[in-house]
Amino acid sequence: MEQKKIWAFGGGKGGVGKSFVAGNLGILLAQNGYNVILADLDLGGANMHTWLGVNSPTKSISEFIEREEQDIKKLLIPTDIPGLNLLSGAKDGVEIANMKHTQKRRFITALRQLDADYIVIDLGAGTAYNTIDFFLLADSQGLIVIPEPTSIENAYRFIKNSFFRQVFHNSQGFGLKNVVNEIMRKDNPHNVNTPRELIDYFNKLGGKATVFIEEQIQYFMPKLILNQVRTERDQMVGPAMKKACLKYFNLNVKFIGQVSFDDSVRKSVLERQPLAVAYSDSEPMEQLEVILTDLLKDEKENAGNNSILSQLTL
């Protein structure tokens, strides 16, 4: 049986449309005949059930994390969309948003064992370790940005912190954990504050450090999706961010598409129906279908590549 794929969608700021993009792409996958699970990991602020028109869930992720329920499959909530189930975080509070090492590892293992073709993860805002770790766990990582200064700034911070976290996780296998731990200190003596400076530092060390950091650059390729686009100037943000990441971070971030601002999105939220159901012929849905096609094409081209965290021990 072909291994399931995990897609995660995050972003540095709230309100940029992570649930909107993740949810509608999950529905599109289900409509294309795949067995899909939407996992709402916006722990402490989960609302995917409302967006899907599902009544307030009586069961959620916390029951598995706290070992009240041993079988994570029993927490799946059917939806009205054939082939789509929901794993909700709606009852989960701050304590679940700060999972311990052993809890996180157990949860990730359980996700991988679920019977689905795709698990689509909607992450919370910000750069907490749990959020970034689940982002890095995925086989495909989508970063949602809107063309506003605060969103762009937070997206750059998310990219930086994700790359640093990846390097931290993978360093142990190369015998470089002590070096990375020193760099990760806020008062690090090497004055390493950006991905480019981190890359330069490892290259100066030479030997296995150079091999290690080159591998990390190759592993790290989040996909940028620009949401709520209104103007021609807005359309320039995605390509500009891609160029900036390469120039200032020395990281390759792939821009895979944009979604226009459209009143149908607001209407679908008020009607408690996903856009893919209520307004399937709208411009945003046409754009999301193009993005989905690109994601599936990219997946085929990179078949055989492991997710970043499949190489790690959290």
Side-chain angles (χ1 to χ4, degrees):
M1 186 177 68
E2 189 175 340
Q3 187 180 8
K4 66 185 61 62
K5 299 295 183 181
I6 297 180
W7 291 1
F9 295 90
K13 185 178 183 294
V16 297
K18 294 181 297 295
S19 299
F20 163 73
V21 172
N24 280 299
L25 287 176
I27 292 171
L28 285 175
L29 282 168
Q31 290 173 342
N32 277 278
Y34 294 105
N35 185 13
V36 182
I37 294 170
L38 277 178
D40 193 348
L41 297 191
D42 186 356
L43 303 175
N47 60 8
M48 186 68 79
H49 62 286
T50 303
W51 182 83
L52 283 168
V54 174
N55 291 330
S56 186
T58 57
K59 48 192 177 182
S60 67
I61 293 167
S62 61
E63 293 171 41
F64 178 79
I65 300 300
E66 297 173 355
R67 296 183 179 272
E68 295 172 16
E69 174 57 68
Q70 298 295 325
D71 187 357
I72 197 170
K73 292 192 294 292
K74 293 182 179 179
L75 300 179
L76 295 177
I77 301 168
T79 72
D80 292 335
I81 297 157
L84 185 75
N85 285 288
L86 173 66
L87 184 61
S88 177
K91 290 173 61 184
D92 304 327
V94 174
E95 70 282 355
I96 299 301
N98 295 298
M99 284 191 211
K100 295 176 182 176
H101 170 89
T102 52
Q103 292 174 321
K104 199 184 305 183
R105 186 170 57 187
R106 178 171 169 264
F107 180 67
I108 287 172
T109 301
L111 275 185
R112 285 280 179 197
Q113 293 173 348
L114 283 170
D115 182 20
D117 299 309
Y118 287 92
I119 298 172
V120 180
I121 299 176
D122 174 27
L123 295 169
T127 56
Y129 284 157
N130 280 337
T131 300
I132 289 178
D133 284 345
F134 287 127
F135 184 75
L136 295 174
L137 152 77
D139 303 292
S140 182
Q141 299 125 346
L143 184 62
I144 316 302
V145 184
I146 59 175
E148 296 178 0
T150 51
S151 174
I152 295 167
E153 180 183 347
N154 287 340
Y156 284 134
R157 186 177 297 119
F158 191 96
I159 291 167
K160 170 196 165 180
N161 290 351
S162 296
F163 184 69
F164 270 66
R165 184 71 169 167
Q166 176 192 314
V167 169
F168 168 77
H169 278 307
N170 283 338
S171 61
Q172 186 168 3
F174 273 74
L176 294 166
K177 194 160 189 178
N178 289 338
V179 175
V180 175
N181 281 339
E182 198 172 64
I183 291 171
M184 290 295 181
R185 286 166 34 195
K186 288 184 179 179
D187 60 341
N188 80 81
H190 308 291
N191 197 29
V192 172
N193 298 301
T194 70
R196 177 175 284 279
E197 290 169 350
L198 181 66
I199 293 165
D200 289 344
Y201 179 75
F202 273 94
N203 279 325
K204 286 177 183 176
L205 290 178
K208 66 179 182 181
T210 297
V211 174
F212 167 73
I213 202 64
E214 289 302 317
E215 282 192 4
Q216 301 317 303
I217 294 169
Q218 290 175 18
Y219 291 149
F220 190 79
M221 193 181 291
K223 301 172 178 68
L224 187 67
I225 298 172
L226 188 62
N227 191 29
Q228 299 182 21
V229 172
R230 291 176 171 87
T231 66
E232 287 186 12
R233 185 175 181 180
D234 288 349
Q235 294 176 22
M236 298 167 62
V237 170
M241 288 187 68
K242 173 182 169 61
K243 289 180 182 177
C245 283
L246 192 57
K247 181 177 180 179
Y248 297 109
F249 285 176
N250 203 21
L251 296 175
N252 191 0
V253 175
K254 188 173 183 180
F255 175 58
I256 62 168
Q258 62 188 35
V259 181
S260 297
F261 179 87
D262 193 278
D263 196 48
S264 61
V265 177
R266 178 175 175 274
K267 288 178 181 177
S268 72
V269 172
L270 293 175
E271 294 167 9
R272 293 186 67 188
Q273 288 194 73
L275 194 71
V277 174
Y279 300 95
S280 59
D281 59 348
S282 63
E283 184 181 15
M285 281 313 307
E286 291 176 359
Q287 292 165 326
L288 283 170
E289 286 175 3
V290 172
I291 288 170
L292 177 62
T293 300
D294 286 347
L295 285 169
L296 292 172
K297 180 182 177 183
D298 187 70
E299 187 173 84
K300 286 182 180 179
E301 290 174 352
N302 292 289
N305 288 353
N306 295 325
S307 67
I308 293 166
L309 249 63
S310 67
Q311 344 236 336
L312 318 178
T313 302
L314 286 181

